[in-house]
Each structure stands twice: as C-alpha cells, then as structure tokens.
Amino acid sequence: MLKLRSRERRLATALADSQQAQTALREAMSALETMHEELVANEKLSSLGMIAAGVAHEINNPMAYVTMNVHTLLEDLRDTPNLPEALRGYVDDLLPSTIDGISRVNTIVRDLQQFARGDTDVQADFELNNEIEAAARISKNQLKGRVKLNLALEPLPSLHGKPRQLTQVMVNLIVNAVHAIGDRIDGRIDVASGVAPDGSVLVTIRDNGCGMSDDVKARVFQPFFTTKEVGRGTGLGLSVVFGIVEAHGGTIELSSTVDVGTTFTLRFPVGRAETKNGAPEDAVIAA
C-alpha cells in the first residue's frame, strides 16, 4: 500500500512537472512569435528608413492637389472652343505626359505608405506579381542608374497571406543584389515568376554580383551574420526573409558562385493548409 502511494506521488509529481514544462514551452513559443514580429517591423524600418515613410506621408496631401488641378486644367482646355494652336501641344502631349508622371509618383508614395505600415497584418487574397512590381518601384532609387532591373512575370494564381511582408522579402533581396553588384557598370538583376510543373509558385532573383563563398552561403540566413562593413547592414535582412517565407509554408534556396553571381529561388506551395501565423484552414498558402 505504501509502495502504491509512493508511486502515485511520483506520478503526480511527474505529471505536474510535465504540465509546467508544457506551459513554459507555450510561453517561449509565444515570446518567439512576438520577437519575430518585432524583428520584421524593425528590419522594415531599417530597409526603407523612417524618413522615407515620413516623406511619403508629407508628399501625399500636396500630390492630391496637384493631381486634381492638372486633371481639371486638361479638361478645361479640352472643353475650350477655338483653343489657340499654341495651347494645342499642352492638350495633346504635355499635360497627358505630366499626368502620367504624377500617376507614377502617386504609385510610389502609396507603395511606401503600405510598406511602412506593414499590414500588421491582415491575411488577404493578393496577386504576388503586384507585390514584386511594388518592390521594384520601392527599390528603384537603390539602382542608382547603373544597375538594370528586369522583370519577367508570368500569370500566377491568387495567393492568400500578408502581401506587404512579401513586398519586404522582395525589397530585401533586390537591395542585397544591388549591394553585391557594387560598382560594376554592367550590373543586372533579373526577377522572374512562374508556376512550376508541380503547381507551386516560383520566384527567382538573380544578380551578376560578387557571389558568395561556401562559408558565406552556409551562414547567410543566420541572424546578425553580415559581410557588409560596419554601419551598412544589421545582418537581419536575410534571416527575416527566411522567417517570412518559412512561416507561410514556403522554401528559399540559394545558389552562388564567387565573381559570377547569386540566385535566390522562392517556392510557395498552393493548397489547403493553415499557415503558422493562423490563416484559415482553407486558405491558399503564400506569404
């Protein structure tokens, strides 16, 4: 009888220890998820800069007035009877091209605002190619007129997830490619999307930069690892990219040769599953 009670006490103690360990594990997982969200937000501000988000906000209101006024001017001139020939060029060419330029500025401002907000972050259906194009516009200033960015985007199925996080992934990879190209005058970055034979969505980002050694390739996704000089990189960009892609059921592969270039290949399965950040079970997987 005493042995039975002793065994019951040991079992009760073991059960209590197990429950305590499970509670600690759940708390640790919750803390890790919180840290990841904070890391995503911090790296985002590092990539774009807080100033860029502020500038986008300040530009938005005056651009609304400019857009409205130029449209009104064009309409008034078109409605003017017996318009002088000297103004005909404004109606046929100058003002329409000005409106096109204004539209591009508004698009960039909208991209910056959405990217800075980060969609903290509602799951939604989205077109991945739209996010790639937004990332290309956001990254354009980094190209500095010497790196050619080429997009080859094929039609893709709509995906479900957090589109701004995908924009962040693309911005980080494009900017990293620019840094790898350095001062080369023939720099080239090719971004392509398509559907693989197995139905998964593929995105490749290929550059002709400095490439990576085997040692760098083995460590490139580790937090805080960077080959950039002090002040140019936090070492968090690619670890954040890896975390976002993995959290949505995707994979990222790397191939690189020193002095030849680097290719990142992202693959997102399309199917009915639940993402790690709580997407509904019938959602199509993608970040």
Side-chain angles (χ1 to χ4, degrees):
M1 188 67 175
L2 291 175
K3 288 184 179 180
L4 180 59
R5 290 179 179 176
S6 177
R7 185 180 300 171
E8 288 175 347
R9 284 196 297 269
R10 289 198 300 271
L11 288 173
T13 300
L15 179 60
D17 290 343
S18 175
Q19 291 174 337
Q20 187 176 19
Q22 289 180 1
T23 300
L25 182 59
R26 283 194 296 268
E27 291 174 352
M29 290 178 64
S30 177
L32 283 173
E33 291 175 357
T34 300
M35 289 173 63
H36 180 261
E37 291 292 336
E38 292 174 352
L39 184 61
V40 169
N42 290 337
E43 178 60 21
K44 185 176 303 176
L45 292 177
S46 176
S47 299
L48 270 186
M50 295 180 67
I51 294 177
V55 169
H57 177 74
E58 293 298 325
I59 289 175
N60 190 54
N61 288 337
M63 283 305 300
Y65 288 108
V66 171
T67 303
M68 180 180 64
N69 291 340
V70 173
H71 273 286
T72 300
L73 177 59
L74 179 59
E75 292 172 2
D76 288 347
L77 289 176
R78 283 174 173 168
D79 293 339
T80 300
N82 302 319
L83 185 70
E85 190 62 31
L87 296 179
R88 180 57 56 186
Y90 286 86
V91 174
D92 296 336
D93 181 44
L94 186 58
L95 288 177
S97 63
T98 299
I99 290 173
D100 181 62
I102 291 171
S103 177
R104 290 198 297 270
V105 171
N106 288 337
T107 298
I108 292 171
V109 170
R110 184 169 61 251
D111 290 340
L112 287 173
Q113 288 178 319
Q114 291 177 339
F115 188 80
R117 283 199 300 269
D119 286 352
T120 327
D121 204 12
V122 177
Q123 299 268 346
D125 293 332
F126 68 97
E127 300 295 329
L128 180 57
N129 285 339
N130 291 344
E131 305 312 313
I132 296 173
E133 291 171 343
R137 290 190 294 266
I138 292 171
S139 307
K140 188 173 183 179
N141 185 59
Q142 294 286 332
L143 306 179
K144 302 185 185 302
R146 55 180 173 73
V147 178
K148 187 175 182 181
L149 177 60
N150 305 289
L151 301 183
L153 309 180
E154 298 181 1
L156 301 175
S158 294
L159 301 177
H160 187 91
K162 300 180 178 182
R164 295 294 88 78
Q165 287 194 2
L166 244 298
T167 308
Q168 179 190 358
V169 165
M170 300 304 167
V171 168
N172 282 354
L173 292 176
I174 292 172
V175 171
N176 276 0
V178 172
H179 291 168
I181 290 169
D183 295 328
R184 292 185 58 165
I185 60 174
D186 61 343
R188 179 185 179 96
I189 302 171
D190 297 311
V191 181
S193 69
V195 179
D198 65 358
S200 61
V201 171
L202 292 178
V203 179
T204 59
I205 299 92
R206 177 179 292 107
D207 68 67
N208 63 346
C210 62
M212 304 180 195
S213 66
D214 289 340
D215 178 63
V216 172
K217 284 189 287 186
R219 302 174 61 195
V220 72
F221 293 113
Q222 295 177 5
F224 305 109
F225 174 76
T226 180
T227 59
K228 300 172 185 176
E229 60 266 26
V230 176
R232 285 204 65 194
T234 63
L236 296 176
L238 289 179
S239 65
V240 170
V241 165
F242 184 89
I244 292 173
V245 172
E246 185 184 55
H248 290 82
T251 61
I252 179 168
E253 298 176 356
L254 161 68
S255 63
S256 185
T257 302
V258 174
D259 295 329
V260 175
T262 298
T263 300
F264 286 94
T265 301
L266 285 65
R267 183 187 298 267
F268 295 99
V270 178
R272 300 168 68 87
E274 181 177 341
T275 64
K276 294 181 182 179
N277 54 3
E281 291 184 357
D282 61 348
V284 177
I285 299 178

